[in-house]
Amino acid sequence: MLEHQMETDISRIEREKKFHDQRFADDSKRSKKVGKFYRVAQSIKKEYVKLLMKNCEGLTIIEYGCGTGSYAFVLAKSQSKKVIGIDISPVAIEVAKVQALNEQIGENISFEVMNAEELTFNSSSIDLICGSGILHHLDLEKAIKSIANVLQPEGKAIFIEPLGHNILINLFRSLTPSIRSEDEHPLLESDLKLIKQYFKNIEIKYFYLTSLLAVLIVDFPGFRVILSILEFLDQLLFKLPFLRNQAWQVLIQISEPVKE
């Protein structure tokens, strides 16, 4: 039974590695299909970056599933002590290393190929872990356990993740299988409860419900105004607990890790 589970995990990890190597080598197909959605999803990124900048001074930080190093560079140019980008894709890591050299950022940034489910950092050695769209590619319990282990007792983790309850969003996902990996699984309410088992404090902010309609007008005048109105409406609707799991994305802040 244990051997079978290990073989399954290895196969899943290899599939993820292959998928992301191909994606980072050429992401044009995916960008063409989801580009409009991500033009809508700017407010969550702005809030994410704001939180990172607020919490990064003098800290040792991991960008978890960094890809080509999207936020590691911003953090390395801030007041952070050390930024380490990790990803399972060697292609992504090589791209990130080249960019770091080209930008001459300095010695406080590095990139490593690493399985995010089995972090190799010392226990209680990291101040902050951040990631965007990474947890739903992983065995969540393994990943959260590993995060809790390497974070300092007063450490924090911040993530952007998609949810998996909305029927219409799930329909779109089922119609576009080629742009997502076989094993990814947008988070469910049960996954959020699992995270709570390993962290005493969890804050979740929900994004994008009616505002997804703005996808239909991204190239039209007035897009930004209408999007702002719909996002305001969303935040009112998300005050109703039964609507929250219908959001497309969530911003998760977790702290006070439970040490085993």
Side-chain angles (χ1 to χ4, degrees):
M1 184 74 173
L2 182 58
E3 288 184 7
H4 175 70
Q5 183 60 47
M6 289 177 65
E7 289 176 0
T8 301
D9 285 347
I10 291 170
S11 297
R12 173 177 55 82
I13 291 167
E14 284 301 314
R15 285 194 298 270
E16 285 288 329
K17 176 179 173 296
K18 181 179 180 181
F19 174 85
H20 285 93
D21 276 346
Q22 292 173 343
R23 174 190 165 188
F24 291 120
D26 180 9
D27 199 29
S28 58
K29 182 190 295 186
R30 183 176 183 275
S31 296
K32 184 176 180 180
K33 291 187 177 181
V34 301
K36 289 185 177 182
F37 286 91
Y38 287 100
R39 284 176 64 185
V40 168
Q42 295 302 309
S43 58
I44 193 170
K45 292 181 181 178
K46 289 179 181 177
E47 191 151 342
Y48 175 68
V49 172
K50 184 178 179 180
L51 285 172
L52 295 183
M53 294 298 102
K54 179 182 176 182
N55 289 281
C56 73
E57 186 173 353
L59 302 186
T60 299
I61 303 169
I62 296 173
E63 186 178 19
Y64 192 79
C66 64
T68 51
S70 54
Y71 295 100
F73 297 108
V74 176
L75 290 165
K77 294 173 183 177
S78 69
Q79 300 299 311
S80 57
K81 178 181 177 182
K82 175 71 175 178
V83 181
I84 308 158
I86 66 160
D87 201 281
I88 199 170
S89 167
V91 172
I93 293 300
E94 286 306 309
V95 171
K97 285 181 177 179
V98 170
Q99 183 175 341
L101 286 172
N102 289 340
E103 293 191 18
Q104 299 180 332
I105 293 174
E107 297 181 355
N108 71 326
I109 188 169
S110 63
F111 294 94
E112 300 179 31
V113 176
M114 190 181 297
N115 178 2
E117 296 170 10
E118 299 176 358
L119 299 174
T120 59
F121 305 100
N122 292 333
S123 178
S124 301
S125 63
I126 304 298
D127 300 302
L128 174 65
I129 296 177
C130 62
S132 178
I134 173 62
L135 292 178
H136 73 287
H137 287 277
L138 307 173
D139 180 314
L140 186 62
E141 185 160 18
K142 284 185 176 181
I144 291 297
K145 278 184 178 180
S146 191
I147 290 169
N149 176 56
V150 303
L151 275 177
Q152 299 227 27
E154 65 278 14
K156 178 182 287 189
I158 304 171
F159 295 100
I160 294 175
E161 290 294 329
L163 290 184
H165 291 284
N166 189 292
I167 293 175
L168 293 177
I169 296 171
N170 287 339
L171 175 61
F172 174 77
R173 288 172 178 143
S174 68
L175 294 173
T176 55
S178 64
I179 63 172
R180 59 196 83 255
S181 68
E182 177 182 337
D183 300 285
E184 66 180 80
H185 48 95
L187 302 187
L188 302 175
E189 191 66 32
S190 57
D191 295 313
L192 300 179
K193 289 179 180 178
L194 173 65
I195 295 173
K196 291 178 182 179
Q197 294 178 26
Y198 295 94
F199 286 85
K200 295 178 184 178
N201 186 40
I202 178 169
E203 299 175 43
I204 303 171
K205 186 171 181 179
Y206 298 81
F207 289 79
Y208 311 118
L209 184 58
T210 65
S211 50
L212 283 171
L213 293 172
V215 168
L216 302 174
I217 58 166
V218 292
D219 295 320
F220 288 82
F223 161 68
R224 295 291 177 191
V225 174
I226 293 172
L227 176 60
S228 296
I229 294 169
L230 293 176
E231 286 183 327
F232 178 76
L233 175 60
D234 284 349
Q235 292 309 311
L236 294 178
L237 292 174
F238 289 140
K239 291 182 179 181
L240 302 173
F242 68 91
L243 282 179
R244 291 172 184 166
N245 66 8
Q246 297 303 305
W248 173 28
Q249 295 183 11
V250 285
L251 181 61
I252 304 171
Q253 296 183 72
I254 49 179
S255 58
E256 299 183 50
V258 177
K259 300 292 185 178
E260 293 187 336

Short mmCIF file of all heavy atoms in Angstrom, two decimals, residues 104-136:
data_model
loop_
_atom_site.label_atom_id
_atom_site.label_comp_id
_atom_site.label_asym_id
_atom_site.label_seq_id
_atom_site.Cartn_x
_atom_site.Cartn_y
_atom_site.Cartn_z
N GLN A 104 21.07 42.16 -12.32
CA GLN A 104 22.11 42.47 -11.33
C GLN A 104 21.49 42.87 -9.98
O GLN A 104 21.83 43.89 -9.39
CB GLN A 104 23.03 43.59 -11.85
CG GLN A 104 23.75 43.21 -13.14
CD GLN A 104 24.65 44.31 -13.64
OE1 GLN A 104 24.41 45.49 -13.41
NE2 GLN A 104 25.72 43.95 -14.32
N ILE A 105 20.58 42.01 -9.53
CA ILE A 105 19.84 42.32 -8.30
C ILE A 105 20.73 42.25 -7.08
O ILE A 105 20.60 43.03 -6.14
CB ILE A 105 18.63 41.36 -8.15
CG1 ILE A 105 17.62 41.66 -9.26
CG2 ILE A 105 17.98 41.52 -6.78
CD1 ILE A 105 16.47 40.70 -9.30
N GLY A 106 21.66 41.31 -7.06
CA GLY A 106 22.54 41.17 -5.90
C GLY A 106 22.51 39.77 -5.32
O GLY A 106 21.95 38.84 -5.93
N GLU A 107 23.07 39.62 -4.16
CA GLU A 107 23.24 38.30 -3.57
C GLU A 107 22.08 37.88 -2.68
O GLU A 107 22.10 36.78 -2.11
CB GLU A 107 24.54 38.26 -2.75
CG GLU A 107 25.79 38.48 -3.61
CD GLU A 107 27.06 38.42 -2.78
OE1 GLU A 107 26.94 38.29 -1.54
OE2 GLU A 107 28.15 38.49 -3.38
N ASN A 108 21.06 38.71 -2.53
CA ASN A 108 19.98 38.33 -1.63
C ASN A 108 18.84 37.59 -2.33
O ASN A 108 17.75 37.44 -1.79
CB ASN A 108 19.41 39.56 -0.90
CG ASN A 108 18.62 40.47 -1.84
OD1 ASN A 108 18.95 40.60 -3.02
ND2 ASN A 108 17.59 41.10 -1.31
N ILE A 109 19.11 37.09 -3.56
CA ILE A 109 18.11 36.31 -4.27
C ILE A 109 18.76 35.05 -4.85
O ILE A 109 19.90 35.09 -5.32
CB ILE A 109 17.43 37.13 -5.40
CG1 ILE A 109 16.26 36.36 -6.00
CG2 ILE A 109 18.43 37.54 -6.47
CD1 ILE A 109 15.40 37.21 -6.93
N SER A 110 18.03 33.94 -4.78
CA SER A 110 18.50 32.69 -5.38
C SER A 110 17.30 31.86 -5.79
O SER A 110 16.17 32.10 -5.32
CB SER A 110 19.38 31.91 -4.40
OG SER A 110 18.64 31.52 -3.25
N PHE A 111 17.55 30.90 -6.67
CA PHE A 111 16.48 30.04 -7.16
C PHE A 111 16.92 28.59 -7.10
O PHE A 111 18.07 28.27 -7.42
CB PHE A 111 16.09 30.42 -8.59
CG PHE A 111 15.48 31.79 -8.70
CD1 PHE A 111 16.27 32.89 -9.00
CD2 PHE A 111 14.13 31.98 -8.49
CE1 PHE A 111 15.72 34.16 -9.09
CE2 PHE A 111 13.56 33.24 -8.57
CZ PHE A 111 14.36 34.34 -8.88
N GLU A 112 16.00 27.71 -6.70
CA GLU A 112 16.33 26.29 -6.56
C GLU A 112 15.19 25.43 -7.10
O GLU A 112 14.01 25.75 -6.90
CB GLU A 112 16.55 25.92 -5.09
CG GLU A 112 17.66 26.65 -4.39
CD GLU A 112 17.79 26.23 -2.94
OE1 GLU A 112 17.49 25.05 -2.63
OE2 GLU A 112 18.19 27.07 -2.11
N VAL A 113 15.56 24.32 -7.76
CA VAL A 113 14.57 23.31 -8.12
C VAL A 113 14.26 22.53 -6.85
O VAL A 113 15.15 21.99 -6.20
CB VAL A 113 15.12 22.36 -9.21
CG1 VAL A 113 14.09 21.25 -9.50
CG2 VAL A 113 15.46 23.12 -10.48
N MET A 114 12.98 22.50 -6.48
CA MET A 114 12.60 21.82 -5.24
C MET A 114 11.14 21.39 -5.30
O MET A 114 10.29 22.08 -5.87
CB MET A 114 12.81 22.76 -4.05
CG MET A 114 12.69 22.10 -2.68
SD MET A 114 12.91 23.27 -1.30
CE MET A 114 14.63 23.80 -1.59
N ASN A 115 10.86 20.24 -4.72
CA ASN A 115 9.50 19.75 -4.56
C ASN A 115 8.86 20.52 -3.40
O ASN A 115 9.28 20.41 -2.25
CB ASN A 115 9.51 18.25 -4.26
CG ASN A 115 8.12 17.68 -4.03
OD1 ASN A 115 7.12 18.39 -4.10
ND2 ASN A 115 8.06 16.40 -3.73
N ALA A 116 7.82 21.29 -3.69
CA ALA A 116 7.20 22.14 -2.67
C ALA A 116 6.53 21.35 -1.55
O ALA A 116 6.25 21.90 -0.48
CB ALA A 116 6.17 23.07 -3.32
N GLU A 117 6.28 20.08 -1.79
CA GLU A 117 5.68 19.24 -0.75
C GLU A 117 6.71 18.76 0.26
O GLU A 117 6.34 18.28 1.34
CB GLU A 117 5.00 18.03 -1.39
CG GLU A 117 3.83 18.39 -2.28
CD GLU A 117 3.32 17.20 -3.08
OE1 GLU A 117 3.75 16.06 -2.79
OE2 GLU A 117 2.49 17.40 -3.98
N GLU A 118 7.99 18.87 -0.07
CA GLU A 118 9.06 18.40 0.81
C GLU A 118 10.17 19.44 0.86
O GLU A 118 11.26 19.25 0.31
CB GLU A 118 9.59 17.04 0.31
CG GLU A 118 8.53 15.95 0.30
CD GLU A 118 9.04 14.64 -0.27
OE1 GLU A 118 10.21 14.59 -0.70
OE2 GLU A 118 8.27 13.67 -0.30
N LEU A 119 9.90 20.55 1.50
CA LEU A 119 10.87 21.63 1.60
C LEU A 119 12.11 21.16 2.35
O LEU A 119 12.00 20.48 3.38
CB LEU A 119 10.24 22.83 2.31
CG LEU A 119 9.03 23.46 1.62
CD1 LEU A 119 8.41 24.54 2.49
CD2 LEU A 119 9.39 24.01 0.25
N THR A 120 13.27 21.51 1.84
CA THR A 120 14.52 21.04 2.42
C THR A 120 15.19 22.05 3.35
O THR A 120 16.32 21.87 3.77
CB THR A 120 15.52 20.66 1.30
OG1 THR A 120 15.76 21.80 0.48
CG2 THR A 120 14.96 19.54 0.44
N PHE A 121 14.48 23.12 3.69
CA PHE A 121 15.02 24.12 4.60
C PHE A 121 14.94 23.62 6.04
O PHE A 121 14.12 22.76 6.38
CB PHE A 121 14.26 25.43 4.45
CG PHE A 121 14.21 25.94 3.04
CD1 PHE A 121 13.10 25.74 2.24
CD2 PHE A 121 15.31 26.60 2.51
CE1 PHE A 121 13.07 26.20 0.94
CE2 PHE A 121 15.29 27.07 1.20
CZ PHE A 121 14.18 26.85 0.41
N ASN A 122 15.77 24.18 6.90
CA ASN A 122 15.75 23.79 8.31
C ASN A 122 14.42 24.16 8.96
O ASN A 122 13.77 25.14 8.57
CB ASN A 122 16.89 24.48 9.07
CG ASN A 122 18.25 23.95 8.64
OD1 ASN A 122 18.38 22.81 8.19
ND2 ASN A 122 19.27 24.78 8.78
N SER A 123 14.06 23.40 9.97
CA SER A 123 12.84 23.69 10.72
C SER A 123 12.92 25.08 11.35
O SER A 123 13.97 25.49 11.85
CB SER A 123 12.65 22.63 11.79
OG SER A 123 11.49 22.90 12.56
N SER A 124 11.81 25.80 11.28
CA SER A 124 11.69 27.13 11.90
C SER A 124 12.77 28.10 11.42
O SER A 124 13.29 28.90 12.20
CB SER A 124 11.75 27.01 13.43
OG SER A 124 10.72 26.19 13.91
N SER A 125 13.09 28.06 10.12
CA SER A 125 14.16 28.90 9.58
C SER A 125 13.67 30.00 8.64
O SER A 125 14.45 30.85 8.23
CB SER A 125 15.17 28.03 8.83
OG SER A 125 14.57 27.40 7.72
N ILE A 126 12.39 30.00 8.28
CA ILE A 126 11.86 30.92 7.28
C ILE A 126 10.84 31.85 7.92
O ILE A 126 10.00 31.43 8.72
CB ILE A 126 11.21 30.13 6.11
CG1 ILE A 126 12.19 29.14 5.50
CG2 ILE A 126 10.67 31.09 5.06
CD1 ILE A 126 13.43 29.76 4.89
N ASP A 127 10.89 33.12 7.54
CA ASP A 127 9.98 34.12 8.11
C ASP A 127 8.67 34.23 7.34
O ASP A 127 7.61 34.44 7.94
CB ASP A 127 10.66 35.49 8.11
CG ASP A 127 11.94 35.50 8.93
OD1 ASP A 127 11.88 35.17 10.12
OD2 ASP A 127 13.00 35.81 8.35
N LEU A 128 8.77 34.15 6.01
CA LEU A 128 7.58 34.37 5.18
C LEU A 128 7.63 33.46 3.96
O LEU A 128 8.68 33.32 3.32
CB LEU A 128 7.53 35.84 4.73
CG LEU A 128 6.42 36.24 3.74
CD1 LEU A 128 5.04 36.09 4.39
CD2 LEU A 128 6.62 37.68 3.25
N ILE A 129 6.50 32.83 3.64
CA ILE A 129 6.36 32.03 2.42
C ILE A 129 5.19 32.61 1.63
O ILE A 129 4.13 32.91 2.19
CB ILE A 129 6.09 30.55 2.75
CG1 ILE A 129 7.30 29.95 3.47
CG2 ILE A 129 5.78 29.76 1.48
CD1 ILE A 129 7.11 28.50 3.90
N CYS A 130 5.40 32.80 0.34
CA CYS A 130 4.33 33.34 -0.50
C CYS A 130 4.24 32.54 -1.80
O CYS A 130 5.22 31.95 -2.25
CB CYS A 130 4.56 34.81 -0.80
SG CYS A 130 6.08 35.16 -1.72
N GLY A 131 3.05 32.53 -2.37
CA GLY A 131 2.88 31.82 -3.63
C GLY A 131 1.57 32.18 -4.29
O GLY A 131 0.59 32.52 -3.62
N SER A 132 1.54 32.10 -5.60
CA SER A 132 0.34 32.42 -6.37
C SER A 132 -0.02 31.25 -7.28
O SER A 132 0.74 30.88 -8.17
CB SER A 132 0.57 33.68 -7.21
OG SER A 132 -0.56 33.98 -7.99
N GLY A 133 -1.17 30.62 -7.01
CA GLY A 133 -1.64 29.52 -7.84
C GLY A 133 -0.77 28.29 -7.76
O GLY A 133 -0.50 27.67 -8.79
N ILE A 134 -0.33 27.91 -6.56
CA ILE A 134 0.57 26.78 -6.41
C ILE A 134 -0.02 25.66 -5.55
O ILE A 134 0.10 24.48 -5.87
CB ILE A 134 1.94 27.23 -5.86
CG1 ILE A 134 2.84 26.04 -5.52
CG2 ILE A 134 1.79 28.12 -4.65
CD1 ILE A 134 3.21 25.17 -6.68
N LEU A 135 -0.69 26.00 -4.45
CA LEU A 135 -1.18 24.97 -3.52
C LEU A 135 -2.10 23.97 -4.21
O LEU A 135 -2.10 22.78 -3.87
CB LEU A 135 -1.90 25.61 -2.34
CG LEU A 135 -1.06 26.43 -1.36
CD1 LEU A 135 -1.95 27.03 -0.28
CD2 LEU A 135 0.04 25.58 -0.74
N HIS A 136 -2.91 24.43 -5.16
CA HIS A 136 -3.89 23.53 -5.77
C HIS A 136 -3.25 22.55 -6.76
O HIS A 136 -3.95 21.72 -7.34
CB HIS A 136 -5.01 24.34 -6.45
CG HIS A 136 -4.63 25.03 -7.72
ND1 HIS A 136 -3.82 26.14 -7.76
CD2 HIS A 136 -4.95 24.75 -9.01
CE1 HIS A 136 -3.68 26.53 -9.01
NE2 HIS A 136 -4.34 25.70 -9.79
#
